[in-house]
Amino acid sequence: MGFMNPQLPPVDAAAFRTLPRSERLQVLTRHWVEHGFGSPYVVYLFYLVKCLLYVGGAACVISLTPGIGSVTDPASWWSEPIVYQKLIVFTLLYEVLGLGCGSGPLTSRFNPPIGAALYWLRPGTIRLPPWPGRVPLTRGHRRTGADVLLYAAVLASGVWLLSRPGDGSAVPGFGDIGLLDPLAAIPLIVSLAILGLRDKTIFLAARGEQYWLSLLIFFFPYSDMVIGFKLVMLALWWGAATSKLNHHFPFVVATMMSNAPLIRSGRLKRFMYRDHPRDLRPARLPFLLAHAGTATEYAVPLYLVFLGDGGFWTWAALIYMAVFHIHIFSTVPMGVPLEWNIFFIFSLFSLFGAHGEVAVQDLQSPWLLAVILPSLLLLPLLGNVRPDLVSFLPAMRYYAGNWATSAWVFRGHALQRLEAGLTTACRLPTRQLESLYDADTAMLMGQKVQSWRSMHSHGRAHNGLIDRVTDGQDDAVVVDGELIAGFAIGWNFGEGHLHNDQLLGAVQARCGFAPGEVRVICLESQPVHRQTQAYEVHDAVHGLLERGQVKVHDMLTRQPWPTDGPNYPVYDVESFGPLRPVPGDLPHPDTEGPDAGVLPRGTAS
C-alpha cells in the first residue's frame, strides 16, 4: 500500500474479469482478511484532516460567543454549558451538510467527496418522504424549489442559532454567559422537522435522533438540561449495546478489524477468522471482542449516569469510555462516524466530568421525561421488534451488523441509463475512480465493496438471493444498494430503507426501464424476537415478485461467496411473478460482458 496507490488483490485484471462471480468473491474476500479495502494512506489523511477541521471549526465558531474567550485559550471556557449546546448545533449543521457520516472515499465518494448539500440544494433530485400516503403535502419524489428553500432555511437557522449570545442567566459554578435562549432554537427545530417529513434522508443525515432531540432539551433549566443530555447519551450507549445481542456483530468486528489502518500485521488479522483462507467465519477472538464491547456499553454508562460522584472511579470510568471511543475511531469504521465519536468523547468530559455534580436523581421536571422517553425508549423498542418500520438510526441499532440492506441487479444497458436518467451531483463510484486511476485499478477497487458486504453475515444471504434471482448466471450487473443510494439521493450510511423499492419507484419514474431490466433484492434486518429475516424481490415495472424469509443460522454457516447456486434455502415464500426475465422482455441486449460490476465500462461497485 502506498500514499496514493491502493493495495489490490494480486490478480491479472483481464483474467479476473472472466471468472464466475463466486470465484471473484473468493479472491476478494480472502484479500479482505489481511488488507480490508486496501485504501491508500491518503484516504486516512483525508479523514484525519477532516476531523481536525471539525474540532478546529467548532472551537473557532463557539469562541465567537460574547464573553467566552479566545480560541487560543479553550481551557478557560470548554466546560461552559453553552459550549455544549453550541457543539450540538454545530455538529448537526456539519452532518446535515454531508461533511460527517457518509462522506469521503470509504463511503465510495471520491470526486466529489460529499453528496448531501450538493443534492439537497438542487431542484430535480430525488427525495424520499417517510409517509407520503399519510402526511399531507409530502407526496412525490422530485425535489422542488420549495424543498431547496426549506433545506436552506435549516442551514440558515442553524447558523443563526450558533451566532446567538448567552442569555446571561446564572449557572452555578460557571460564569455569567448563561445558556442559549431556547426560543432561538425554534426555527431550526421546526424547519428540520418539516423538511424531514418531505425527505427522510435529510433528517437521518442530520442525526435527528440525537441532535434534533437535544435541541428540545434546550427548553429546560440548566440542571434538568444536563440530565437530559446525559439520558440521551445513556440511551445511545444502551441502544447500541442491546442491538449487539445477536449473531451478526462478531462478523462486524472481524470485518472492521481487517480494515483497521493501525493494525498492520496480517497474522493478527488472520486470527479474526477460523481458518484463513478456507474458512472465513469469525474465530473466537472477534466473539470475545464483541462481548467486551457490549458489556462496556452497558456497564460503564450505567455507573457514570447513576452512580458516579465525580471521584476517582468516575474519572476512571470516564477515561475508559474515552479510550473505548478512541479505539472505534482508530478502526475508521465503514460509514466513517468519526466526528460522532469525537462528540462522544467531548460529551464524556463535559457532561460527566465538568458537570458531573448534576445527578440524574435530582431531576426536577417530569416533562423532560415526557419529551425524550418516546424517542429514547419507544422508538428503539418498536425498531427492534418491527425493524421494517423504523430506521436503525432512531432505533439506535448502531454498529450491530443487523441492518436493512439491498442489492440491485441490472441487465442490458440499464446501469448506463440509470446514470443518464437521474439528476445528480456525481457519477457512479467506479466512474469517479476512473478519473483518478486506470480502468483496471478502478475495477478492482470498486469490487472491494462486494467483498465488504459478503464478509458480513447478511452478505452471505445476499449472495444466495442474488443467485436465486439470476439463476446463478453471470449475465447481470450486481450493485450494492448503498452505492445506488449514494449516487441517486446524495447520502448513504448503511440504511437499507433508503435504497429499497421506494427508491426503485422514484428511479423508474425517471428512467422507464423495461420489465426485467432492474430487480432489487431487499433484505430486512432481524427482529429481536425472531431468528429469520424477511426479503423481497422487486421489479422496476412489475413491482413485488417474491417475498419470503431467510434463516440467520443459514447465514452463519456459509462462506462469504456463493456455494448453493440458485438453491439457497428460503422459507415461507410467496411468489407474484417470475424471478428471471421473460425472453424478449429486455430491449437492450447485454454487450458489456458477464458482470459490468466487474468490467470498467459498466461497473458501479
Side-chain angles (χ1 to χ4, degrees):
M1 188 190 305
F3 184 72
M4 288 293 296
N5 295 321
Q7 178 72 50
L8 298 175
V11 295
D12 177 74
F16 184 83
R17 291 184 176 95
T18 66
L19 295 175
R21 183 170 179 271
S22 176
E23 293 184 31
R24 294 196 302 267
L25 279 175
Q26 289 183 51
V27 171
L28 293 166
T29 53
R30 287 165 175 161
H31 186 263
W32 180 280
V33 168
E34 297 186 81
H35 303 286
F37 266 112
S39 301
Y41 290 122
V42 68
V43 168
Y44 300 107
L45 178 61
F46 166 83
Y47 285 111
L48 178 61
V49 170
K50 191 164 71 75
C51 288
L52 292 174
L53 290 175
Y54 166 73
V55 173
C60 289
V61 169
I62 294 171
S63 70
L64 298 176
T65 304
I68 279 287
S70 171
V71 69
T72 60
D73 186 26
S76 66
W77 51 262
W78 72 273
S79 60
E80 289 283 346
I82 195 174
V83 170
Y84 192 77
Q85 288 184 298
K86 289 203 170 187
L87 182 62
I88 290 170
V89 180
F90 181 87
T91 308
L92 186 155
L93 280 177
Y94 191 89
E95 295 288 356
V96 83
L97 282 167
L99 300 174
C101 301
S103 65
L106 290 181
T107 59
S108 295
R109 297 194 179 282
F110 305 97
N111 183 26
I114 69 166
L118 303 180
Y119 283 70
W120 303 334
L121 287 171
R122 185 173 184 174
T125 54
I126 293 176
R127 66 179 180 86
L128 299 176
W131 304 291
R134 300 179 181 179
V135 179
L137 305 178
T138 64
R139 290 182 181 274
H141 42 69
R142 187 176 300 275
R143 196 173 314 280
T144 66
D147 294 304
V148 171
L149 290 176
L150 193 54
Y151 177 65
V154 168
L155 302 181
S157 58
V159 170
W160 184 73
L161 183 55
L162 277 177
S163 70
R164 295 298 86 198
D167 59 9
S169 60
V171 178
F174 296 91
D176 58 358
I177 302 172
L179 305 171
L180 284 173
D181 180 357
L183 296 179
I186 291 178
L188 179 56
I189 292 171
V190 173
S191 59
L192 182 56
I194 296 174
L195 184 59
L197 293 174
R198 294 277 299 175
D199 189 354
K200 62 185 178 185
T201 310
I202 300 179
F203 189 84
L204 294 175
R207 303 306 300 272
E209 83 281 359
Q210 179 177 357
Y211 303 125
W212 183 84
L213 178 63
S214 294
L215 295 177
L216 302 180
I217 301 174
F218 287 10
F219 287 85
F220 294 88
Y222 162 72
S223 61
D224 281 1
M225 181 183 71
V226 172
I227 291 170
F229 294 151
K230 289 183 177 183
L231 291 176
V232 169
M233 297 301 297
L234 178 68
L236 295 172
W237 279 312
W238 279 7
T242 302
S243 70
K244 294 168 184 168
L245 299 175
N246 59 44
H247 297 292
H248 308 282
F249 188 51
F251 289 79
V252 176
V253 172
T255 305
M256 184 171 65
M257 298 302 283
S258 286
N259 195 50
L262 297 184
I263 301 178
R264 310 306 304 164
S265 170
R267 183 180 181 184
L268 177 58
K269 292 180 178 181
R270 290 194 296 272
F271 278 143
M272 297 288 166
Y273 303 89
R274 295 189 182 186
D275 185 20
H276 176 267
R278 290 171 289 276
D279 188 349
L280 301 191
R281 290 175 294 170
R284 291 184 61 86
L285 181 55
F287 276 87
L288 293 174
L289 292 174
H291 291 317
T294 303
T296 291
E297 288 182 309
Y298 272 132
V300 182
L302 171 67
Y303 177 82
L304 286 172
V305 173
F306 296 106
L307 303 175
D309 57 4
F312 171 81
W313 290 111
T314 296
W315 281 93
L318 190 157
I319 293 171
Y320 178 87
M321 283 304 294
V323 171
F324 177 80
H325 282 282
I326 290 171
H327 165 69
I328 297 174
F329 180 95
S330 72
T331 65
V332 193
M334 302 312 300
V336 287
L338 303 180
E339 293 85 357
W340 190 56
N341 278 280
I342 293 173
F343 181 89
F344 268 69
I345 294 169
F346 183 84
S347 297
L348 282 163
F349 287 96
S350 178
L351 299 179
F352 303 101
H355 301 276
E357 79 287 348
V358 180
V360 171
Q361 295 85 342
D362 297 330
L363 177 67
Q364 298 296 314
S365 174
W367 288 108
L368 175 67
L369 300 180
V371 168
I372 65 175
L373 284 186
S375 293
L376 300 185
L377 184 61
L378 298 183
L379 270 182
L381 179 61
L382 178 61
N384 277 280
V385 176
R386 288 290 306 274
D388 57 310
L389 298 180
V390 184
S391 161
F392 83 93
L393 292 170
M396 299 182 183
R397 293 186 287 111
Y398 309 117
Y399 296 126
N402 183 26
W403 312 298
T405 55
S406 77
W408 289 52
V409 181
F410 296 87
R411 288 187 170 85
H413 294 292
L415 192 58
Q416 293 90 323
R417 292 169 56 208
L418 173 78
E419 188 170 39
L422 302 188
T423 300
T424 67
C426 68
R427 302 197 69 186
L428 287 163
T430 303
R431 302 298 191 190
Q432 298 175 42
L433 283 169
E434 288 175 354
S435 70
L436 303 172
Y437 297 98
D438 63 84
D440 287 345
T441 300
M443 176 268 293
L444 289 170
M445 290 180 68
Q447 280 295 289
K448 293 305 288 285
V449 174
Q450 292 190 21
S451 63
W452 167 78
R453 178 66 72 192
S454 295
M455 293 298 287
H456 293 83
S457 54
H458 58 254
R460 291 123 201 267
H462 267 240
N463 289 333
L465 292 172
I466 289 168
D467 275 358
R468 180 176 176 82
V469 170
T470 63
D471 201 28
Q473 304 299 310
D474 276 345
D475 60 349
V477 185
V478 180
V479 184
D480 195 277
E482 285 293 296
L483 304 187
I484 298 297
F487 164 72
I489 62 177
W491 190 76
N492 56 290
F493 189 54
E495 175 45 84
H497 299 148
L498 297 181
H499 41 83
N500 58 11
D501 57 301
Q502 183 184 22
L503 179 60
L504 176 63
V507 166
Q508 173 65 4
R510 290 159 172 76
C511 299
F513 296 115
E517 280 194 296
V518 181
R519 299 271 166 87
V520 178
I521 303 166
C522 301
L523 180 64
E524 189 52 75
S525 49
Q526 177 191 352
V528 69
H529 60 299
R530 299 183 184 277
Q531 290 300 313
T532 58
Q533 294 180 229
Y535 77 89
E536 295 181 346
V537 180
H538 294 265
D539 180 81
V541 175
H542 296 307
L544 180 63
L545 298 179
E546 181 177 288
R547 63 185 172 206
Q549 302 282 332
V550 291
K551 291 184 178 180
V552 172
H553 175 267
D554 293 331
M555 306 176 199
L556 305 180
T557 58
R558 281 165 170 74
Q559 299 302 319
W561 52 79
T563 57
D564 302 279
N567 299 314
Y568 185 85
V570 295
Y571 307 88
D572 302 328
V573 176
E574 296 181 79
S575 297
F576 304 94
L579 292 183
R580 293 286 292 173
V582 177
D585 269 352
L586 302 178
H588 303 285
D590 185 2
T591 60
E592 295 293 337
D595 188 341
V598 176
L599 300 178
R601 289 175 298 168
T603 182
S605 295

